[in-house]
């Protein structure tokens, strides 16, 4: 059966899409949904059979837990068995929005959602469709990004249809994602809050909202690569967020410098695309140079769509001009680092 794609462009269409999607979700089906970060593949979080379909469709490993999406403070608290004061502060500052809080789960959250673990990731998304559909359903929605495992996350409905259109009955078109990369994931279950996955809500913003002074206790910090403790987010070890093309992040002073690095990589000009934000190189055809604004919000919003385009154009290599090493860019740099790992 061909996938049904519903627009949300007018208030009436949005209402119709919400009610159609809620009907499908109540029936235990999986629906492609827009959020402000990336598109998600949603199912009733309280229905293990529906969530099992998400894993099957994505080819997602069973060890990788799924974020639960809510639409009110009460719904969020109902998923967690403890709600520390820091959760209140972060929720007040950033929800609805691109922040996921990891908290101890309640028994009502099925094992399959948490990958058998004692914690659950909870997010209250901002996109009006998500708010509407979660309220209409009355239950939380489990939703990973709507891509096949280890592939690039979708930031528009076309990306979802292209990857998963033959496996889901319905995709809701909520336009281009406004944030463009996945939510910041903060673990509040250990003594010290930890940023498990950086995103566009950055460390200084989390710190400010935590009421902590710089270096003060209680403000979330990034997980350090040299941490000896096992990582608390198993899914974050996988090669994620990757286009089909090989990807490298490079710094170059001039065209000669870029060309030398391309030769070292074995990247041929005719099949190499360059994502630049600062220097326009002339070593590949002009149609293969993509300029993204030198601003983290704009860069994040555009990044995945540009990587999807490079893949569609048959790129063998995507070379990304290195980004500033500041907290505002940390989420974007994290995704590019993962995408540049060899498969
Ligand atoms: O912005 C987002 O977070 C998007 C949209 C759809 O909400 N969702 C998303 O889901 O990116 P997914 O499954 O692609 O990535 C969620 C990440 C995974 O790496 C997973 O391991 C981690 O969050 N995660 C989920 N639940 C967790 C938990 N209980 N403890 C630690 N990490 C968790
Ligand atoms: Mg994902």
């Amino acid at each position: 059966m061909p996938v049904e794609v519903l627009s949300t462009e007018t208030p009436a269409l949005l209402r119709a899409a919400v009610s159609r999607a809620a009907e499908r979700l109540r029936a235990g089906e999986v629906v492609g949904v827009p959020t402000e970060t990336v598109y998600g593949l949603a199912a009733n979080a309280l229905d293990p059979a529906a969530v099992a379909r998400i894993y099957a469709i994505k080819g997602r490993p069973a060890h990788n837990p799924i974020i639960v999406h809510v639409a009110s403070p009460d719904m969020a608290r109902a998923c967690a068995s403890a709600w520390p004061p820091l959760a209140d502060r972060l929720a007040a500052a950033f929800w609805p929005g691109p922040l996921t809080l990891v908290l101890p789960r309640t028994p009502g959250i099925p094992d399959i959602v948490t990958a058998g673990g004692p914690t659950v990731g909870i997010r209250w998304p901002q996109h009006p469709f998500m708010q509407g559909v979660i309220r209409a359903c009355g239950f939380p929605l489990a939703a990973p990004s709507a891509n096949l495992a280890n592939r690039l996350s979708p930031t528009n409905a076309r990306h979802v249809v292209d990857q998963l259109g033959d496996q889901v009955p319905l995709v809701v078109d909520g336009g281009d994602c406004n944030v463009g990369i996945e939510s910041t994931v903060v673990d509040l279950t250990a003594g010290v809050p930890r940023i498990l996955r950086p995103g566009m809500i950055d460390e200084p913003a989390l710190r400010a909202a935590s009421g902590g002074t710089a270096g003060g206790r209680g403000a979330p910090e990034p997980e350090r690569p040299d941490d000896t403790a096992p990582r608390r987010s198993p899914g974050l070890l996988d090669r994620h967020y990757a286009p089909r093309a090989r990807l490298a992040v490079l710094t170059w002073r001039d065209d000669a410098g870029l060309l030398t690095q391309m030769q070292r990589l074995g990247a041929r000009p005719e099949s190499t695309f360059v994502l630049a934000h600062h220097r326009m190189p002339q070593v590949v055809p002009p149609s293969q140079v993509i300029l993204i604004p030198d601003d983290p919000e704009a860069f994040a919003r555009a990044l995945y769509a540009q990587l999807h385009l490079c893949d569609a154009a048959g790129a063998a290599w995507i070379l990304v001009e290195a980004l500033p090493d500041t907290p505002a860019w940390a989420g974007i740099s994290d995704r590019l680092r993962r995408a540049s790992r060899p498969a």
Side-chain angles (χ1 to χ4, degrees):
M1 215 176 63
V3 58
E4 184 182 11
V5 180
L6 293 180
S7 163
T8 57
E9 241 162 28
T10 66
L13 287 171
L14 175 62
R15 279 194 301 277
V18 162
S19 91
R20 182 90 177 120
E23 187 186 299
R24 296 286 198 176
L25 291 161
R26 268 186 234 110
E29 291 184 33
V30 171
V31 175
V33 296
T35 88
E36 72 277 22
T37 56
V38 300
Y39 273 67
L41 197 59
N44 179 353
L46 307 181
D47 176 351
V51 178
R53 286 196 184 170
I54 295 178
Y55 282 89
I57 290 171
K58 281 190 60 122
R60 185 183 181 93
H63 68 255
N64 194 355
I66 298 182
I67 295 170
V68 170
H69 297 73
V70 299
S72 71
D74 286 349
M75 217 176 192
R77 282 167 181 269
C79 300
S81 63
W83 195 266
L86 185 53
D88 264 340
R89 285 202 284 273
L90 295 178
F94 301 114
W95 278 357
L99 176 69
T100 297
L101 297 178
V102 173
L103 289 160
R105 70 192 270 203
T106 47
I109 303 294
D111 273 344
I112 189 164
V113 171
T114 68
T119 67
V120 59
I122 306 170
R123 178 162 105 80
W124 179 350
Q126 194 171 54
H127 195 290
F129 169 81
M130 280 301 267
Q131 305 224 24
V133 78
I134 295 167
R135 289 204 189 101
C137 286
F139 47 74
L141 294 179
S145 51
N147 51 281
L148 298 169
N150 296 335
R151 293 270 297 276
L152 204 51
S153 296
T155 53
N156 63 40
R158 169 56 46 196
H159 297 154
V160 182
V161 170
D162 286 350
Q163 275 197 50
L164 300 171
D166 54 348
Q167 302 192 69
V168 294
L170 173 63
V171 173
V172 174
D173 184 348
D176 292 332
C177 295
N178 197 39
V179 175
I181 66 169
E182 302 79 358
S183 61
T184 305
V185 179
V186 176
D187 181 6
L188 299 180
T189 63
V192 186
R194 281 293 157 95
I195 300 172
L196 299 182
R197 178 175 70 183
M200 295 311 287
I201 294 177
D202 62 20
E203 195 190 341
L206 291 166
R207 200 171 275 287
S210 302
T213 51
R217 283 180 67 84
E221 289 181 5
E223 275 215 321
R224 307 283 174 207
D226 57 311
D227 270 1
T228 46
R231 289 188 69 117
R232 278 181 291 274
S233 196
L236 299 179
L237 286 176
D238 300 339
R239 177 181 189 258
H240 261 82
Y241 319 105
R244 273 188 298 253
R246 300 283 315 272
L247 185 146
V249 179
L250 302 176
T251 307
W252 57 87
R253 188 187 288 280
D254 52 25
D255 279 5
L258 177 56
L259 205 54
T260 307
Q261 297 185 73
M262 286 171 61
Q263 280 157 357
R264 201 174 300 142
L265 291 169
R268 301 208 318 272
E270 62 274 19
S271 56
T272 297
F273 284 64
V274 179
L275 256 68
H277 54 85
H278 183 213
R279 296 170 199 279
M280 277 285 291
Q282 316 229 340
V283 296
V284 302
S287 63
Q288 291 166 213
V289 179
I290 297 155
L291 260 188
I292 304 191
D294 192 3
D295 158 74
E297 268 75 37
F299 197 101
R301 206 174 292 131
L303 177 64
Y304 287 168
Q306 294 297 354
L307 296 180
H308 278 287
L309 283 177
C310 292
D311 268 351
W317 275 97
I318 302 170
L319 306 179
V320 185
E321 186 180 8
L323 303 168
D325 185 16
T326 61
W329 290 91
I332 299 167
S333 294
D334 168 81
R335 303 308 185 277
L336 290 173
R337 207 163 31 245
R338 292 169 203 277
S340 62
R341 279 186 206 146

